[in-house]
Amino acid sequence: MESSTSTILPFLVILLAVSHASSDSFQQNFYKCLKSHISAPLSTCFYTPDNPSFTPLLNSSAQNLRCLLPSVPKPELIFTPLVESDVQAAVICSKQLNMHLRIRSGGHDYEGLSYISEVETPFAVVDLSKLRSISVDIQRNSAWVEAGATVGELYYRIAEKSKIHGYPAGLCTSLGIGGHITGGAYGSMMRKYGLGADNVLDARIVDANGKILDRKSMGKDLFWAIRGGGGASFGIILSWKVKLVPVPETVTVFTVTKTLEEGATKILYKWQQVADKLDEDLFIRVITQVGNGAKEGKKTVSNSYNALFLGGVDRLLQIMGQRFPELGLQQKDCVEMSWLKSVLYIAGYPSSVPPEVLLQGKSSFKNYFKAKSDFVKEPIPESGLEGIWKRFLEEDSPLMIWNPYGGMMSKIPESDIPFPHRNGTLFKIQYVTLWGDADKDTPGKHVDWIRKLYSYMSNYVSKFPREAYVNYRDLDLGMNKNGSTDFVQANVWGSKYFKNNFNRLVRIKTKVDPDNFFRHEQSIPTLPTAAK
């Protein structure tokens, strides 16, 4: 009698051969279809895994190294459109061949959903990184920016034309603008001007039928949905027309750090009471980390108050002296600079780095990480903060960022765009745990740690629903299975990301993409057939 091993081996060889053949046909069919639709030579924009440029391209804008491990599913091909009609061709061919697409503009998404598919294979990635033109019109206070351009490139191009114009989007300069705005796009001017998505005038997208639509032709509902309803549910963003906002020629920044030994707990308790009520020109976020304590071999927790003030140092010191003297801000802590320089400062670049670094368009900060988010409505008591510190001291590289709300964020109605976290929110928390190559194959202890911290925080954050920020995708909140989107299942995370706006998003999705062509692990579902 043959051994079971000798029976299995030929079967595996056949299986691998079939799998390889199906990959080849997948690639060939897409290639043939694209060739009949686009004029550019496909050698410049079509990459398969046997192309030496494939892996560098796949890795190029990915922020989370956890999403690039060999065990993570890889696309069968990457297509990099050179013009808008190439994107149309990708949608038309994918539909025709019944192929699954993922769309990437920047690659910052925390769970890698723009270049990974855990639930559907094979799949292709449409990478928009070659669509990155920016046209700034200072006279009309607006700019058109293509989806593959980064936030930093947009900031640079605005400042190139004017020292007194800006745009209120992300703090991290390597974000692809296409996906960034679809989730809301918060930044250091949100208390003054709201989100990036609150300051959009027009957009160009490719819909599920392969048509290019602008604000007028897409209609009010779809234009509402794409500004904060999350990426890759309604179409492929080609470009945004954004509204520029006034900024002073001179702004002021500071970073003041307080450790536990320096009274960090009491100062942070006070920050919670004032941060959302300060002058809306002032944005003070808090970055919490673990570092070496005063005693050798002892770790401590530090809170860094990292701020942008849209004005000069004298007025800033006056405001801080009246509203938040506990921080002890002094003139020597403050630096006056241009708005563009403040972008680099807030993004963590050293002061010696020239603004031209923003034109690199790629992130130099890459890590293995897992993140989560919360929104806070009432100050967390000192005892609650002490519980956080205890947990932080148990982890290798924990990070937490608290972003203040209030100002303009409280004035914009929850239903204005899909992003609902408005009046009544004191601040948003982002939790992150980072790890290095040594732990790359065993991330479990770090993921367990952040889940336990998230569980601990449940008493101190928003409830019914416990809210979350869609641009910090978190698959722990649930996910669509096997390419189907179930409304009941999706409501669990949908209500956290969008609150009452979720139902309107579902109705719009059902209308504009009834076949659910644009889908991923947390995409907006269509209504069940009977309800349509």
Side-chain angles (χ1 to χ4, degrees), residues 475-504:
L475 294 183
D476 287 353
L477 304 179
M479 56 193 235
N480 298 314
K481 301 282 192 287
N482 304 323
S484 66
T485 48
D486 178 85
F487 172 74
V488 176
Q489 195 176 45
N491 190 53
V492 175
W493 70 81
S495 62
K496 292 175 185 292
Y497 291 144
F498 307 112
K499 296 173 71 176
N500 294 333
N501 293 331
F502 179 64
N503 289 335
R504 184 177 174 193

Side-chain angles (χ1 to χ4, degrees), residues 271-307:
W271 175 91
Q272 295 180 81
Q273 294 167 311
V274 301
D276 68 307
K277 300 171 190 73
L278 292 169
D279 188 304
E280 59 187 32
D281 287 336
L282 179 55
F283 173 91
I284 310 175
R285 65 175 179 162
V286 187
I287 302 168
T288 301
Q289 292 171 289
V290 166
N292 293 324
K295 288 183 184 170
E296 200 175 329
K298 278 277 191 183
K299 291 201 297 184
T300 189
V301 175
S302 67
N303 293 328
S304 295
Y305 294 81
N306 179 236

Side-chain angles (χ1 to χ4, degrees), residues 200-232:
V200 168
L201 300 168
D202 202 343
R204 289 175 65 78
I205 72 165
V206 176
D207 74 359
N209 298 312
K211 288 183 180 166
I212 293 179
L213 307 173
D214 63 7
R215 179 175 182 169
K216 190 177 176 186
S217 55
M218 78 177 78
K220 195 170 85 170
D221 276 351
L222 185 51
F223 186 61
W224 178 85
I226 61 174
R227 292 172 297 141

Side-chain angles (χ1 to χ4, degrees), residues 191-456:
R191 302 190 64 252
K192 178 76 171 180
Y193 295 117
L195 307 170
D198 293 321
N199 291 276
V200 168
L201 300 168
D202 202 343
R204 289 175 65 78
I205 72 165
V206 176
D207 74 359
N209 298 312
K211 288 183 180 166
I212 293 179
L213 307 173
D214 63 7
R215 179 175 182 169
K216 190 177 176 186
S217 55
M218 78 177 78
K220 195 170 85 170
D221 276 351
L222 185 51
F223 186 61
W224 178 85
I226 61 174
R227 292 172 297 141
S233 280
F234 300 98
I236 301 178
I237 305 293
L238 296 170
S239 55
W240 298 105
K241 185 182 184 183
V242 299
K243 182 171 75 178
L244 306 185
V245 300
V247 295
E249 255 189 79
T250 301
V251 302
T252 308
V253 296
F254 69 79
T255 304
V256 172
T257 301
K258 299 290 183 184
T259 63
L260 295 184
E261 294 77 5
E262 294 167 322
T265 306
K266 287 195 181 305
I267 296 168
L268 187 60
Y269 182 61
K270 180 62 192 260
W271 175 91
Q272 295 180 81
Q273 294 167 311
V274 301
D276 68 307
K277 300 171 190 73
L278 292 169
D279 188 304
E280 59 187 32
D281 287 336
L282 179 55
F283 173 91
I284 310 175
R285 65 175 179 162
V286 187
I287 302 168
T288 301
Q289 292 171 289
V290 166
N292 293 324
K295 288 183 184 170
E296 200 175 329
K298 278 277 191 183
K299 291 201 297 184
T300 189
V301 175
S302 67
N303 293 328
S304 295
Y305 294 81
N306 179 236
L308 169 69
F309 178 64
L310 298 172
V313 66
D314 293 343
R315 189 161 77 90
L316 170 61
L317 288 170
Q318 195 181 352
I319 291 167
M320 290 294 287
Q322 288 170 353
R323 302 301 307 273
F324 192 18
E326 292 80 0
L327 188 61
L329 183 70
Q330 297 176 43
Q331 185 140 4
K332 67 179 174 63
D333 302 316
C334 304
V335 187
E336 292 187 329
M337 56 180 63
S338 68
W339 173 73
L340 187 66
K341 282 276 193 182
S342 80
V343 163
L344 293 169
Y345 177 90
I346 295 286
Y349 286 100
S351 58
S352 57
V353 171
E356 284 65 32
V357 71
L358 299 174
L359 299 178
Q360 288 178 1
K362 290 283 181 282
S363 174
S364 52
F365 307 108
K366 290 174 181 271
N367 292 287
Y368 299 92
F369 69 88
K370 172 68 182 172
K372 290 181 169 290
S373 60
D374 263 319
F375 289 84
V376 179
K377 314 280 188 177
E378 301 283 340
I380 299 168
E382 289 183 32
S383 58
L385 297 178
E386 284 159 2
I388 299 174
W389 313 150
K390 177 174 172 279
R391 286 158 178 80
F392 256 56
L393 291 167
E394 293 166 357
E395 179 59 343
D396 298 344
S397 296
L399 174 69
M400 187 168 62
I401 303 174
W402 291 16
N403 281 299
Y405 274 54
M408 181 56 78
M409 292 300 291
S410 294
K411 297 171 190 168
I412 298 170
E414 281 195 8
S415 59
D416 216 45
I417 63 171
F419 180 97
H421 317 287
R422 303 287 189 173
N423 193 29
T425 299
L426 300 183
F427 57 95
K428 177 184 69 195
I429 302 179
Q430 175 180 191
Y431 315 93
V432 186
T433 177
L434 306 106
W435 59 93
D437 276 335
D439 287 344
K440 69 178 182 182
D441 297 319
T442 54
K445 67 173 184 176
H446 304 293
V447 175
D448 284 350
W449 176 84
I450 200 169
R451 286 173 178 161
K452 284 174 183 167
L453 175 65
Y454 186 73
S455 174
Y456 166 75

Side-chain angles (χ1 to χ4, degrees), residues 48-83:
T48 57
D50 54 6
N51 183 319
S53 300
F54 178 86
T55 300
L57 176 60
L58 179 65
N59 297 358
S60 62
S61 63
Q63 183 83 348
N64 193 346
L65 297 178
R66 180 168 62 90
C67 302
L68 296 174
L69 291 170
S71 57
V72 173
K74 305 289 184 286
E76 295 292 340
L77 62 94
I78 303 173
F79 176 55
T80 57
L82 303 175
V83 292

